[in-house]
Amino acid sequence: MAAEVSYESVEEESDELSLMCEDDLVVYDRIGKRCQREISRGDSLLVAMEAVGFGPKVMGWVTRGKEQYGVIDSQLAELKSNTKAQGEAVVKAKALLVAGQGLYADIAKDMESVADRDVYISDAVDAEDTSAHTEVYETRGA
């Protein structure tokens, strides 16, 4: 079943989308900090493992894990950029909606004032219109 779309529902949705974008950016920052922390811990672990004499296979696992955190961190930058752009687009669209609604509200108000008048443009046919076919036209210079 389709939801009813109204000016108010679109306005509420745009507010919710803006809040969601802001919340997402906070989460991305938190994930990014976690990635940086895990990369740093991986570096420390690799140094400690090398000092103890762990083999390349185990150190490779840590290195790959560290690289994966690096990939996630680098992808977050693009995700944050896209989310920020989406949030800005929502704000811009809402501003256009509000501006358009104001424009149409003014037009509607004007139309209501026209409807309140007794006479605007009469659709009534007057005698001149009904007798036009019987009129006699004289030629010039006759």
Side-chain angles (χ1 to χ4, degrees), residues 6-134:
S6 66
Y7 172 75
E8 290 80 16
S9 70
V10 171
E11 191 173 18
E12 288 171 15
E13 285 290 322
S14 66
D15 290 342
E16 288 179 31
L17 278 172
S18 292
L19 289 174
M20 287 172 59
C21 289
E22 290 172 16
D23 290 345
D24 288 349
L25 289 172
V26 170
V27 170
Y28 301 153
D29 284 338
R30 196 175 73 235
I31 293 170
K33 288 176 186 173
R34 169 81 187 264
C35 288
Q36 292 300 319
R37 189 173 63 242
E38 294 300 326
I39 290 169
S40 177
R41 287 173 70 187
D43 288 338
S44 300
L45 184 58
L46 284 172
V47 169
M49 289 172 77
E50 189 174 4
V52 174
F54 274 84
K57 186 172 185 180
V58 175
M59 291 178 71
W61 293 339
V62 174
T63 301
R64 282 191 297 279
K66 198 178 93 166
E67 288 170 353
Q68 288 300 316
Y69 276 111
V71 169
I72 292 169
D73 192 39
S74 67
Q75 289 175 342
L76 281 173
E78 184 179 346
L79 193 57
K80 284 168 67 173
S81 173
N82 289 341
T83 301
K84 192 176 287 188
Q86 180 183 13
E88 290 168 358
V90 168
V91 169
K92 182 179 178 182
K94 182 179 177 185
L96 291 172
L97 175 70
V98 169
Q101 186 68 15
L103 171 69
Y104 291 125
D106 289 344
I107 292 170
K109 194 182 299 179
D110 184 49
M111 292 174 75
E112 286 173 4
S113 70
V114 167
D116 290 341
R117 294 184 213 151
D118 289 334
V119 176
Y120 177 57
I121 296 176
S122 176
D123 290 334
V125 178
D126 62 11
E128 190 176 305
D129 294 330
T130 57
S131 63
H133 69 285
T134 61

